[in-house]
Every structure is written in structure tokens, then in C-alpha cells.
Amino acid sequence: MEHLKRLFDIDPWKLTTTTLHKDDFRLQESLTSIGNGYMGMRGNFEESYSGDHHQGTYLAGVWYPDKTRVGWWKNGYPEYFGKVINAMNFIAMDIYVNDTKIDLATQPIEDFYQELNMQDGILSRQFKITVDGLTINCRFSRFLSITTKELAVIQFKAEVLAGEGTVKVVSRLDNNVQNEDSNYDDRFWETTDAVDNDTALFVTARTIPNNFGIEQFTVTGLMENQTANDVVRSSEKSSLATAETLVFTVKQGDTIAVDKKVILVTSRDVAANEQLATAQALMDETNQQSIAELTQAHQQAWAQRWALADVVIEGDHEAQQGIRFNLFQLFSTYYGEDERLNIGPKGFTGEKYGGATYWDTEAYAVPLYLALTDSEVTKNLLKYRHNQLPQAQHNARQQGLAGALYPMVTFTGVECHNEWEITFEEIHRNGAIAYAIYNYTNYTGDTSYIKNEGLEVLVEIARFWADRVHYSKRNDRYMIHGVTGPNEYENNINNNWYTNYIATWVLKYTLENYRAFQSEATVTLEAAELTKWEDIIAKMYFPVDNELGIFVQHDTFLDKELLPTTALSASDVPLNQNWSWDRILRSCFIKQADVLQGIYFFGDQFTTEEKQRNFDFYEPMTVHESSLSPSIHAVLAAELGMEEKAVEMYQRTARLDLDNYNNDTEDGLHITSMTGSWLAIVQGFAQMKTFDEQLSFAPFLPKSWDKYAFHINYRNRQLHINIDKEWVTITLKSGDALALTIYGEEHELTDTVQIALKK
Amino acid sequence: MEHLKRLFDIDPWKLTTTTLHKDDFRLQESLTSIGNGYMGMRGNFEESYSGDHHQGTYLAGVWYPDKTRVGWWKNGYPEYFGKVINAMNFIAMDIYVNDTKIDLATQPIEDFYQELNMQDGILSRQFKITVDGLTINCRFSRFLSITTKELAVIQFKAEVLAGEGTVKVVSRLDNNVQNEDSNYDDRFWETTDAVDNDTALFVTARTIPNNFGIEQFTVTGLMENQTANDVVRSSEKSSLATAETLVFTVKQGDTIAVDKKVILVTSRDVAANEQLATAQALMDETNQQSIAELTQAHQQAWAQRWALADVVIEGDHEAQQGIRFNLFQLFSTYYGEDERLNIGPKGFTGEKYGGATYWDTEAYAVPLYLALTDSEVTKNLLKYRHNQLPQAQHNARQQGLAGALYPMVTFTGVECHNEWEITFEEIHRNGAIAYAIYNYTNYTGDTSYIKNEGLEVLVEIARFWADRVHYSKRNDRYMIHGVTGPNEYENNINNNWYTNYIATWVLKYTLENYRAFQSEATVTLEAAELTKWEDIIAKMYFPVDNELGIFVQHDTFLDKELLPTTALSASDVPLNQNWSWDRILRSCFIKQADVLQGIYFFGDQFTTEEKQRNFDFYEPMTVHESSLSPSIHAVLAAELGMEEKAVEMYQRTARLDLDNYNNDTEDGLHITSMTGSWLAIVQGFAQMKTFDEQLSFAPFLPKSWDKYAFHINYRNRQLHINIDKEWVTITLKSGDALALTIYGEEHELTDTVQIALKK
């Protein structure tokens, strides 16, 4: 597929451009998003911009239950749709040159330059503008501190190149924001009288009341606008906004600068009536350090992250930029500091999809965080689900079923999405929750979670499956009807091979662990329950086609008109933007091949021939319109020695957003699928596997690359893996010696193992 | 099933009650709805009522495109959801007794009585109330004229039983109304400056602008409040309402009366700037007659309708009341005067379901209107579809398909509903449109419609089907995947027997008629097209089970857990109010048995054994939660000699609303399914059939009945059919002699045929 749109230059550590892409401004904003796990925002300009754009600042865990209903609400539907909401615009700094408001959408500028530095998360921009004979060079720079999560620093600097007059900066904290998808211009913020203070530049806002018993969030922003220049200040407060105006009188050769510091606290951490005091204390504390020192601390923290996680690619700058962009955005979204949070599909870069927690976390993010961060980060992701077990039980009851059903989309654990074919039917997600427990335990060797919390989760998920299957008398088999698999281009299908497989696996794995940890477990199973589970395991129906030698996606898949994606024309794709839903559903084309997803998850349970036949059957029909799809194909293609296909799939996942493959990055980045490029390199190209607690590699080097290298954290060890044109070099950077397998041969890693690259 | 709720007494011609059912007030309002095909309203009280109720006045053809969107809009979805909107409340007459506003929700009353007279469509009510020593007996009465469609007459009368003081009547025309299901309190009416006049008591309102290019409707209401008593008058106008206040000074023994006449005109008939003049002219014209004369004319017109349509049942007053209620409400909704209108599922009795045209019209209403009204009425229903052929072509294009797809829900012919499993997939509706053409032609013998308009419709529907099927290579059969059949308790199924059957029938019927009328036809088919159609006809796949000897609802239906409805408990039903949607979908329980629907439509194409086996298989799994379901079962049960089942099904359809069987009549009456009780009697108990242009009967008399009698209009003849305990008596009331079949034997009907009832 051609590159649809590439706005930024190729650079190993940066996104840079000298073009203001007015026609693709939303895309430019998405790609320049920054975040610190606590808050984040799209690459909106500090000063007002009147052109088409998408203003978006988001606070982790701050959301709203959307009351919009449509006529065909079904029984059992959630009462509300949980929405990520746009929060206070706190970067705002309107600039007036000789009383003309600067607006890059309408005014001519020169020397535009924008840069997102992925090494330290600093977004900067400059341009030259002339108004009434006064020419200034403006520079903005901002970061969200990863050392003090409540802190944002926005710096403005202007050099006067010619002329004289005034430069006015209006620095704002503004809650007059709304969502892109608001119906009827619905707003979410109201004023509050929680605190009052005449001197501090702050604003406190609260989400408006709702009828669903969802907590109202209160947020306080406090700012200081520091400058070393002579300035005339004034300020103004309204119910939802606070502004400070700074007027500078300037002439050629002058340089003025405003350092805006913002502290943002929310009622998730601080009670409403204490927020101003807390914010003030944090402000005072950070004022002990200069802006330069604060910046340096932030940069060092990013350097530490990269030291554990960086992937180096030589010989392919596009690929290098892609993988770093993905890791940068992932860590900007989530770095495991808060077990009440999870990884939203758009992170802090957009509003689409509502909700903040999807199965993506367990299926795609867990393996990456396991390898690149401390195991506590992943454990927090697992605890998040354990904490929400009561809500998952509630979800199952809503469907009249036993056990626990983890939600498709949620903030609190209660399902908050309203599409029956997803909410009610895309229940395979429940399997991924269990799989993450297996993944964590198998990867880390730490059984404490499964014993203390995991088994409770597993048993309740198993109970759900045992109730959700039905017995088909005429087949003498258990079946699962009415599901949507990971391939969301088919809905309400029967006996989705993937769902049936993972459901059966959950029952097996739960039984196994229940028996292993029974004496220590806090759950007890009845004998009848065990017998029922065993019966289901023995008699589960799996659709297969013996002639083709494949697992069949679902009962009637092979009755379709079976065509390869090469039969599609350019005007057909992406299908979801060109075909009506019914046509997509009855076509053979696959958004994400779920049989292959199952083979990927359970890679030790299938022969190479089985993998090959299924890959050869499903891959040609897969359109990869799920951002989660290509990485899995990359991993399998690599295992099957199909290097070209693996590299093609890598490229698609690595630069999905940078090259706007799916033509929807303007809505925000595909955060959760950003793990895909890492999976493609590490589990694909390097064939790292950990089945049965055995670490193994079987690397190849893409033809156009000179080398690639990555780190992993494995069972309290830091390993560095380097693959160049000749050698596979694995170095133990810290921790005890380790037995590992390379190309099927066992090696003892004490310091470095180097063996020849297989070609 | 028990009778869930019966608010009104049993009476052959009336709904009467002496109880104000405050706890079921919405149900009481639904059941006392009146309409005249042009406008109608729920049984709202004239005076203000502060208790829970549903204010609702509706104007035929006046609607609004709802802009509400939810997050998961799919490609190809209609832009808006078409909504029936609440229009001017023109019956309003607030009553003040000694300056206290009367409100039956809160004030004690005596001698409450409410009556809906189905013979003449007059709704009346009385009650006695005492305020500050003043006791009055109030009586309201209203009707919507069926001789002057724009005219409504509302009469108020008060007798002073004790005390003295004032009675104040505030008579209003009020556009401050909104829909029950409005999101964000959305309103639909705005003021207009189209006309101004200081003396007339009128108000003009226009639907607010929309972004969809849908016409804005303008509506003018003009009133006169006539009284013979001494009165002090004053009036008040606001932008959306007009009120006249009449104050009467009264004492014991006085009687006061106000006759409120309203003329209502809409921009569907009269341009906005001419509406007041037109309304005034109509008012003047009706003022040539007294209220008593206007009432009498209205009553005579109803008497004429009943003379053609009445069904008399002796020995079962509940059944008698049921059938008359259904016919009354049907004729109140539609009597064929306007070919731009159709029959909405709630008529003028509620807002639910949006839209005004469903396939219900063709499948269930056409047979009734064919028999009970002039054939022009049905022809108008058919022309409605022919007029909308371009829109139906548009709908097909939206799905990327050829031909024409008639909408599931519409006002204009463009699909205006947004549920993919309905809008995109419940395409069997396209078959019913064709079936109605067959039905009309076969029943009337009039081939003019099929030649002049029908064939164009048929060919385009056939083209849709020919494009919508796909060829399954491994089965060497054509299939139809991804549909929802009439049984809406399964979605997105493959090879729905009903859909496959009716699609194939359309191809056959269209070919047949194309060949018959080719020389006169305005459409031309290519040879390749004909060949393709023939191939599809020859190779269509139909799911059958040879062992069970049945047609299978769809591909995997028999894999379900198959249970009879007797396995359901009281807390399960109705399923749609107790089970989550996924559970309903994967259960075997059937909302409406579509295999039986097909067997009903094409009753001449199946053997009695086939009918029996399928009935015995599907009937026990059918929950009849579609109001369209029981009548079809009644017809088939009757044919199969299962009298008890036929009667049970009749009762369910005849008193569906009167006894609130589905527990949802509070939202409005099930107008389109009201034909069911008539179908059950005429096509069921009397076994009237018209296949192959041959009229036949094979009546039985339900055990508990003494007799039943009905009329039919057949090929320019009026027949009266009387079935009592001994005899079947068929009388030719007008028209030429006719050959007909009774119990399989041919008879020549010249005057009366009487033969013994078969027992």
C-alpha cells in the first residue's frame, strides 16, 4: 500500500517539519501529541488558531457518562456511553503583536519549524511574523513533566528582528472546551465555589452532575507566568477561565520570554476544597528549581526509560523513527504509576472510541511492558482487573450469566459501550484477561499474583464461559453461538474458532492452576463445577476443514465468496470508509484474522504445518483495518520464514500513524496498537518466545537493515540483544546467568553469547 | 397468558370506564386515541393534567430528521433518524373553578366516566368536582371530523350542581410540545412571521431548520370558542401559542357550554402564507352548519365505513369489542384519501419507532383494505411505493447494490433508520412490496397497476435480489448471507429460508409478468439479466432438514438448544424486557416465525403435511413478541384444524392493546398489527383464500361463539358472510354473480348460498 500521508521528516529521534499543514492540521496535531501518563494533549498551538483543528487536552481517569440515547436501546444495554472528555486548555497563550492577534491559519509567516523530540518529550515550534512593521521570531516550547506529574511547562520567547511596538501575551487556563463528538453542543464542565482566592491565578471546574451515580470530577489549574523582562500585568477571571495579560514594549534587538508553569490537580487525588492549597504547594516546591533544572530532571527521567527500552535500527531510518515514535507515545500514555489507570486506545491524543480500557491492553501491551519496564508495571495492569472483579460480575449478570465478564470498554469496570454486537458479543476479551495472567506468570515466574488475586479472576472468567456455552444435542458438542471475534468485520457468528479455543483454554488453565494452588487459594469450586468444566473441555466444538487443513473462522465462513484482497480496487479500501456495514460483514475480507491471533497466543500448541496452512489461507483475505492486525501477521510470517511479508507487516504497524495508513490518524493516535511494531521486531524478527518458561530466540535481519538491537527485562535480568549482518549477540547486562535457546540450541548466558546469524 | 391489564369495560361498541387509572394513565391515553387519517391524538385530557402522562398530537406526514448521533455510526448509515413529532396541542381547555385550576391528578373528583364510542369516533368524559363550595359536573366531548379533515370539535359543558362563583375556560393552541424520546430536550417547533392578524385566534409554527435538506413544515391552527352563555372574553398570543380566556359567572342550576372549533392546515397542502386565509375560509364554511349538523355528518360517514367493514361476533363480547377496536383504530389512521401517506406502526397514538411506513403495510394491511374498502385505497398504497422508486434505488446504492431497496422505516422513501441489523439486513421487506403487487392484482383482477407502474417496481426489486445473492462455489448454490428475517430475534443470519424463498419468488413473479406484459411494459431487460435470474431461481439454496421434514429458519438454527416456550418462566417474558439482546439472539425463541410467514404468503405452494410439520416445529418456540405474529399462526392453525390454537391466537391479536398483552401499549397502539384480528377471523376461521384468482371459504365457528359475520368487497361485488352454529350463509349484496368455493366445492353465488357448517 502506498504511503497515504507523511507530514514529518525522517529522523531517528525527532519529528520535524518546516511546513504548516493547514489542510491536514488535525493529523499534524495528532502526531505532535505529548503526555506524561497523568495528563496529555494534542499538538494544539499555544496561541489561537482559527483553522480546522481539534482542541484536545485529556486528564487520565477523568471522564463523563454520555446521556445521549438513540431509539433502539436494547434491554441490558449500559445506561450511558463512557466518554473521554476534553479538559482544561492550560497551554493557551494568545499572542498579540501591535494589538493584532496572531493566528497562523490566516496570517502569512516565514521560517515555520515544528519539532517533537522523542528523546525527552519536548515539543517546540518557531515562526517569523511581521505586523505593522514589527517583525518578531516566536518560539514555543512545552513539556509535561514525568518527574512531577502535575507540572506542565510552556515557554514562549520572542526576538524582535525589526520595528517596534508591543507584544501582548494572554496566558489562559480555560475550561470552555467541548468534545468533537458532542451531541447538541453538550458541555461537561461547570464552575464550582469550592475555593476562592483573589491573588492566585487559578481556575477550578467540576464535571456537571449526571444521573448515573458517576462521580463528578473537580479539577484545579494554577499558573504562574514568569518573565525577566519589564512587563505590565493584569488578570481576569470568569467562571470557567482565568487569564493573565502581559504587555511588553519592544524594539528591534529585544528578546522577551514568558515561562508559563501550570500545576494541575484533580479530585482523583486531592479533595476539591484542598486543591488550590495543594497546587500552590506543588508550585512553590517546583519554584525551588529553575525551569532549566526542571527540564533537565524531566530529560533524565526520559533517558532512563530509553536506557531500558530503546530499539536501535540501523540502515532504515523510517523504521527507526517508527519504533521510537511508538515507544515514545506508549510511555507518554502509561508508565504504570497508577493502578487505577489503564491504556486507552487513543491515549491523550483524541476522544474517539470513548472508554479508557480495552482488551488491547492485555493482548498487545502486556508483553511489551513485561519486557521493557519493571514487572510491577504489568502487575498494576493485572491488579486493575482484579480490583474491578465485582464490576465484571455485574456485567455478566446484566447478560443473565454466571461468573465475570470483563467489559469491552470501560472506565470503572462496568461496561460503558452500547453496541450489542460488541458489548454483548465480543466476549473473547474475557479470554485475553486470563491470557495476561498466564503471560505475566509465565514470563516473570512470579506466582504471587495468581495465588493472591489471579485465581479469583480466572475462576470467575471460567464460570462465565461454562455458562455461556450451550450443548447442541444433535452434534453432541458444546458450542458458543452469537459472538463477535477479534475480526470485527463479522458480527454475531457461531462457533468462532478463536473464541471457542480461548474459552476452552481458560477452563483448562484455571483447572490446572486451581489444582496447583488449591491449598492456598481463596476460592473453592464444587465437584459438579469441575465435572462440568471437564465435560466442556472434552466436548467443545471447533470448526475445521479437513480438506483445506485449516481451522475455520466460524461455522459458515467457507460458504462465502472467497476472494483475495488483491481483488479489491483502490476505491474499495479502506472498506470501513467505503462499504456499507452489511457488505463488509458478508464479504470474506478480514479486519484482523482471529484464527491467526489464536495461533499466535498459543504458538506452542500448533505444528508449523498448521501455522503455515492457516496463514496461507487467511493472510490473503486480511485487510488489516484493525491497527492490531499487522503485528500478529509479522510475528507469524517471521516464524514461517516469510521475511518479506514480515517486513511489510512491520512497516505497516511501525508507521501506521506517521504515514497515516488507515486514514484516520487525524482523530488521534492508535496508542494500544503501537506495541505492534515492537512485537514485530522482538517476537517477529528476533523470534523471542517464552512458552513454558523457556526464553528463546531465532532472529533474522531484514534485508534492508544493517542491524537492530533491543533490550529486555526478563526475570530480574537485563538483556541486550543485537542482531547485525553476521552475528546474534546477546549480552547479560545485569542479573544472574540464564539458560536460553537460540535457533533451537541451548546456551548458558553468563555474560555474552554470540552466534552467527542464520541466513 | 394471563390478561395483563384491562382498563376498559367490555362493550360491543364502546370503551367505557368509571375509573381514572392514574397509575396506568399512559395506557388509558393510548387506548382512547382518536384520528381522522389527517391528524390524531392520544386520549390526553383537555384540561391540564400534572400526573405522569404522554401528551401527543400528531399530523400525518409532518415529521423531523433527528440529528442525534452516537459514536459508532457505520459507513452508509442514514444521516438522520426520521421522527414522528409531537405537534400543536389544540384540544387544550384549562378549567378554573373559582380560580383554582382543575387537575384530576391531584384533586378529588366523583362520578368519573370516560367513553370512546367506536361507532362514531367520539371521545367523551365527565366528572364532578367541588371547589370552594362550588360543585360542577364537567363534560368534555371531542371528535376529529372525517368529512372535513381539517376540523376538530371539542365541546365543554358544565352544570352547576351547588354553590356559585366563576368558571374560567382557557382555550389554547399550543406548540410548546416536545417528544418523549427527545435527547437534550430537543424541540421541533419555532415561530414564523408568515402571517399576522390581530383578530383571529390562530398560531402558526414551523419546524426548525435541519441540515438534511428535509422540508420545514408549517402548521396553522385557528380556533373559535363558541358559547351561548354570557361570558367575558380576553385573549393572549405568544410566539408559539394562542389562548382565549372565557370567564363565566355561575350559580346553582346554571349550565354553561363552550364549543371549541379548530381548523388545522399544514404546508403539505397549503403554502405557509395562505394558511390563515385557508383556515378562515374553512372555518367560515363549517360555520354554515351547526355543531350538531357537523357531528351528524361525521357520524354518518363512520356509519358508511362500518356498513362496508363491520364484523359481528355473537357469544363473545370480548372478541366483538376487540375486532371493532382494531378496525376503528385502523380506519382512524388511514382510509386511503392521500397517496402521499402510509400507515405508521403507532398511527396517531405515539412516537415510538419513528418513521411512518413499514413493510407491515404491504404484508398485513393490504389484504384488509382490499376487502373492506374501495380498491382505490389499496392502489394508493401501491402508488406510494411506485412514487418512491427513485428513493428505493438510492437506498440500494447506499449499500453498493443494484436495483431498488425499499426502506425499513421512512417518511420519504429514503431509509431513515439506523440499526445495521435492521436497516441494512432486514431486506425481506423488499419481497413484501412485490407481494402486495401480486396480492392487489390477484385479488382485484385489475392488471392496470402492474402494467403501468408495478412492473417497474418489480424489476428493480428483482435486480436488487439478483445482486444481493452470492454464489457459493463449494455448494454450487446461490446464497443470501447476512440478513435479519421477520423473526427479529435473530440478526445477521445466513440463508434465512423466508428471505431466500421470497427473493426467489420475486424473480419468478417478475419474469412471469415481464413476459406477459413485455409489449406494453416501460422497462426492458437484457438477455443476460434474464439468464442470470433463471440461474438463481434454479440454484437457490434453501435450508431444509429432511429428517424433521421441515424448512429450517436459517443455516445453523438446529444447532441451538431447542426448547418450547413452556420452558420459560413468568420472569422471562416478555423476553425483550427481561433478557439481554445476545441471550435472545442465541436462544431458539422466535419473535415471529418467518418460515410460517412464508407458508402463509405462499399457501398454495405447500402441502398440508408440510404446513403441519413446520407449524408443529416452530409454533411451540414462538413467543409472539411481535404484534404481527399471532394472526399468521391463527390463520395456519385454522387451516390445519387446530381450532383451539387458532382461537387462542385470535384472542391475542384481537385484544393485544385492550388487554396490554405485550406490556407496551402505554407507548401507543400497535396500529399496523391491528389487521391481525381481521385476518384471523376472515383468513383463519372462515378460511377465505384467493389464490389463483379463486375465492374460497372453509369456515369453522369457535366453540364459544354463537356466530360471526363479515363483509368483503371482491372484484366490484359486496359479499356478506355469516357463520352461525348451523350454517354458512354467503350473500351477494351487490355486483355480478360469482363462482366461489366452499369447503372445496364450487358454488355459483347469484343471491345467497347457504350450506351446512362443517363440524
Side-chain angles (χ1 to χ4, degrees), chain B residues 438-698:
Chain B
Y438 152 78
N439 214 351
Y440 173 84
T441 310
N442 177 70
Y443 190 95
T444 63
D446 167 21
T447 57
S448 69
Y449 177 77
I450 204 166
K451 276 190 286 199
N452 297 328
E453 293 111 343
L455 200 56
E456 288 175 22
V457 172
L458 288 174
V459 165
E460 282 295 282
I461 292 176
R463 282 177 173 149
F464 172 85
W465 286 120
D467 200 25
R468 182 57 168 75
V469 304
H470 77 272
Y471 178 68
S472 170
K473 205 168 162 187
R474 72 167 183 170
N475 299 284
D476 187 26
R477 280 287 176 277
Y478 289 93
M479 293 186 161
I480 306 181
H481 273 194
V483 304
T484 294
N487 172 30
E488 290 174 321
Y489 281 180
E490 297 196 296
N491 291 156
N492 194 44
I493 54 175
N494 296 334
N495 295 313
N496 173 244
W497 182 86
Y498 173 84
T499 305
N500 288 19
Y501 197 90
I502 204 163
T504 311
W505 172 83
V506 168
L507 292 171
K508 280 188 216 166
Y509 185 69
T510 305
L511 270 180
E512 217 171 80
N513 281 281
Y514 178 70
R515 282 167 179 153
F517 301 114
Q518 196 164 2
S519 58
E520 304 160 71
T522 57
V523 281
T524 313
L525 295 172
E526 303 290 324
E529 207 165 10
L530 297 175
T531 311
K532 171 83 188 288
W533 294 6
E534 276 164 349
D535 197 43
I536 296 168
I537 293 166
K539 290 189 173 174
M540 179 60 81
Y541 172 78
F542 297 103
V544 297
D545 189 277
N546 292 324
E547 205 177 307
L548 295 167
I550 58 164
F551 309 125
V552 180
Q553 192 158 289
H554 67 92
D555 274 350
T556 59
F557 184 79
L558 297 179
D559 285 342
K560 294 192 174 205
E561 188 182 13
L562 301 175
L563 297 168
T565 57
T566 50
L568 293 168
S569 72
S571 61
D572 292 320
V573 288
L575 298 182
N576 64 28
Q577 292 174 20
N578 292 288
W579 284 13
S580 74
W581 190 240
D582 59 306
R583 190 173 175 193
I584 291 175
L585 290 180
R586 67 180 182 274
S587 86
C588 71
F589 299 112
I590 297 170
K591 184 180 183 188
Q592 164 174 26
D594 45 39
V595 167
L596 302 185
Q597 178 76 37
I599 288 177
Y600 160 75
F601 268 171
F602 304 105
D604 57 336
Q605 298 170 30
F606 304 101
T607 66
T608 302
E609 292 68 32
E610 284 174 324
K611 292 176 182 179
Q612 187 77 56
R613 281 195 304 265
N614 282 284
F615 190 88
D616 290 347
F617 184 78
Y618 289 108
E619 215 290 320
M621 290 188 278
T622 305
V623 289
H624 299 295
E625 290 180 15
S626 165
S627 58
L628 304 170
S629 179
S631 56
I632 302 307
H633 287 240
V635 173
L636 289 179
E639 179 176 352
L640 296 168
M642 305 164 82
E643 296 187 12
E644 228 170 282
K645 175 58 75 179
V647 171
E648 177 201 333
M649 291 292 108
Y650 166 76
Q651 280 164 343
R652 203 159 158 153
T653 180
R655 298 189 59 88
L656 179 80
D657 287 317
L658 285 177
D659 292 340
N660 197 18
Y661 266 97
N662 285 5
N663 194 27
D664 61 359
T665 295
E666 61 184 39
D667 298 329
L669 303 175
H670 298 83
I671 295 294
T672 42
S673 59
M674 284 184 160
T675 62
S677 49
W678 184 88
L679 292 174
I681 292 176
V682 175
Q683 298 190 350
F685 301 170
Q687 282 292 300
M688 175 176 116
K689 293 185 192 305
T690 55
F691 294 118
D692 273 330
E693 312 195 31
Q694 174 62 47
L695 183 64
S696 69
F697 296 89

Side-chain angles (χ1 to χ4, degrees), chain B residues 222-491:
Chain B
L222 172 71
M223 68 173 166
E224 286 189 6
N225 299 293
Q226 304 170 346
T227 180
N229 302 90
D230 285 340
V231 67
V232 179
R233 290 181 189 256
S234 60
S235 65
E236 194 182 0
K237 278 189 193 180
S238 62
S239 64
L240 285 174
T242 285
E244 184 176 36
T245 301
L246 296 89
V247 182
F248 301 89
T249 305
V250 298
K251 60 175 192 306
Q252 187 174 336
D254 285 355
T255 296
I256 58 162
V258 179
D259 292 338
K260 177 177 186 176
K261 285 177 64 184
V262 177
I263 297 288
L264 218 113
V265 293
T266 85
S267 52
R268 293 181 62 252
D269 302 310
V270 182
N273 58 1
E274 291 166 19
Q275 288 186 354
L276 181 58
T278 303
Q280 194 64 68
L282 278 163
M283 184 68 86
D284 294 345
E285 193 184 315
T286 61
N287 280 341
Q288 303 298 310
Q289 292 182 271
S290 68
I291 297 283
E293 287 167 334
L294 291 169
T295 307
Q296 205 182 10
H298 168 77
Q299 288 172 315
Q300 278 170 356
W302 266 109
Q304 276 170 17
R305 291 181 176 183
W306 285 116
L308 296 176
D310 190 28
V311 177
V312 172
I313 298 170
E314 287 179 9
D316 186 339
H317 298 312
E318 298 183 13
Q320 175 67 79
Q321 186 181 39
I323 182 71
R324 285 207 177 114
F325 183 68
N326 292 339
L327 293 174
F328 170 74
Q329 289 292 350
L330 274 167
F331 295 160
S332 298
T333 304
Y334 186 84
Y335 207 73
E337 292 97 343
D338 186 341
E339 79 174 49
R340 299 168 303 171
L341 297 178
N342 210 286
I343 309 167
K346 296 270 163 210
F348 300 112
T349 74
E351 292 147 18
K352 217 178 166 184
Y353 302 127
T357 311
Y358 284 64
W359 71 291
D360 308 22
T361 298
E362 279 76 10
Y364 303 97
V366 158
L368 179 146
Y369 282 96
L370 275 173
L372 297 185
T373 63
D374 191 88
S375 66
E376 283 303 311
V377 172
T378 308
K379 207 170 182 176
N380 270 350
L381 286 173
L382 266 51
K383 281 183 178 168
Y384 176 91
R385 297 295 194 175
H386 180 258
N387 291 340
Q388 296 185 349
L389 185 56
Q391 292 92 312
Q393 289 165 329
H394 163 86
N395 296 335
R397 274 351 139 254
Q398 286 291 98
Q399 296 192 18
L401 293 167
L405 174 61
Y406 280 90
M408 193 65 197
V409 181
T410 194
F411 289 92
T412 61
V414 172
E415 179 63 66
C416 74
H417 182 70
N418 306 298
E419 254 176 315
W420 64 264
E421 66 274 21
I422 305 294
T423 313
F424 291 155
E425 299 208 333
E426 202 171 334
I427 53 175
H428 68 80
R429 61 189 184 250
N430 230 16
I433 309 299
Y435 187 81
I437 296 173
Y438 152 78
N439 214 351
Y440 173 84
T441 310
N442 177 70
Y443 190 95
T444 63
D446 167 21
T447 57
S448 69
Y449 177 77
I450 204 166
K451 276 190 286 199
N452 297 328
E453 293 111 343
L455 200 56
E456 288 175 22
V457 172
L458 288 174
V459 165
E460 282 295 282
I461 292 176
R463 282 177 173 149
F464 172 85
W465 286 120
D467 200 25
R468 182 57 168 75
V469 304
H470 77 272
Y471 178 68
S472 170
K473 205 168 162 187
R474 72 167 183 170
N475 299 284
D476 187 26
R477 280 287 176 277
Y478 289 93
M479 293 186 161
I480 306 181
H481 273 194
V483 304
T484 294
N487 172 30
E488 290 174 321
Y489 281 180
E490 297 196 296
N491 291 156

Side-chain angles (χ1 to χ4, degrees), chain A residues 452-656:
Chain A
N452 297 328
E453 293 112 342
L455 200 55
E456 287 175 23
V457 172
L458 288 174
V459 164
E460 283 295 282
I461 292 176
R463 283 177 172 150
F464 172 84
W465 287 120
D467 200 26
R468 182 57 167 74
V469 304
H470 77 273
Y471 178 69
S472 170
K473 206 169 162 185
R474 72 167 181 169
N475 299 283
D476 187 25
R477 281 287 176 277
Y478 288 94
M479 293 185 161
I480 306 181
H481 273 194
V483 303
T484 294
N487 172 30
E488 290 174 319
Y489 282 179
E490 295 196 296
N491 291 154
N492 195 42
I493 54 175
N494 296 334
N495 295 314
N496 174 244
W497 181 86
Y498 173 84
T499 304
N500 287 20
Y501 198 90
I502 204 164
T504 310
W505 172 84
V506 169
L507 292 171
K508 278 188 218 165
Y509 184 69
T510 305
L511 270 180
E512 218 170 80
N513 281 280
Y514 179 69
R515 281 168 181 154
F517 300 115
Q518 195 164 4
S519 57
E520 304 160 71
T522 57
V523 281
T524 313
L525 295 171
E526 304 289 324
E529 209 165 9
L530 297 174
T531 311
K532 172 85 187 288
W533 293 8
E534 277 164 350
D535 197 43
I536 296 169
I537 292 166
K539 290 190 173 174
M540 178 60 81
Y541 172 79
F542 296 103
V544 297
D545 189 277
N546 292 324
E547 206 176 308
L548 295 167
I550 57 162
F551 309 125
V552 180
Q553 192 158 289
H554 67 91
D555 274 352
T556 58
F557 184 79
L558 297 179
D559 284 343
K560 295 192 171 202
E561 189 182 12
L562 301 174
L563 296 169
T565 57
T566 51
L568 294 168
S569 72
S571 61
D572 292 320
V573 288
L575 299 182
N576 64 29
Q577 292 174 20
N578 292 288
W579 283 12
S580 73
W581 190 240
D582 60 307
R583 189 172 174 195
I584 291 175
L585 290 180
R586 67 180 183 274
S587 87
C588 71
F589 299 112
I590 298 171
K591 185 181 183 188
Q592 163 175 25
D594 46 40
V595 167
L596 301 185
Q597 179 77 37
I599 287 176
Y600 160 75
F601 268 171
F602 305 104
D604 56 336
Q605 298 171 28
F606 305 101
T607 66
T608 303
E609 292 68 33
E610 284 173 325
K611 291 176 184 180
Q612 187 76 57
R613 282 195 304 264
N614 283 285
F615 190 88
D616 291 348
F617 184 78
Y618 289 109
E619 216 289 322
M621 289 188 279
T622 306
V623 289
H624 299 294
E625 291 180 15
S626 165
S627 58
L628 304 170
S629 179
S631 57
I632 303 307
H633 287 239
V635 172
L636 289 178
E639 180 178 350
L640 296 168
M642 305 164 82
E643 296 187 11
E644 228 170 281
K645 176 56 76 178
V647 171
E648 178 201 333
M649 290 291 108
Y650 167 78
Q651 280 164 343
R652 205 161 157 153
T653 178
R655 299 190 58 87
L656 179 81

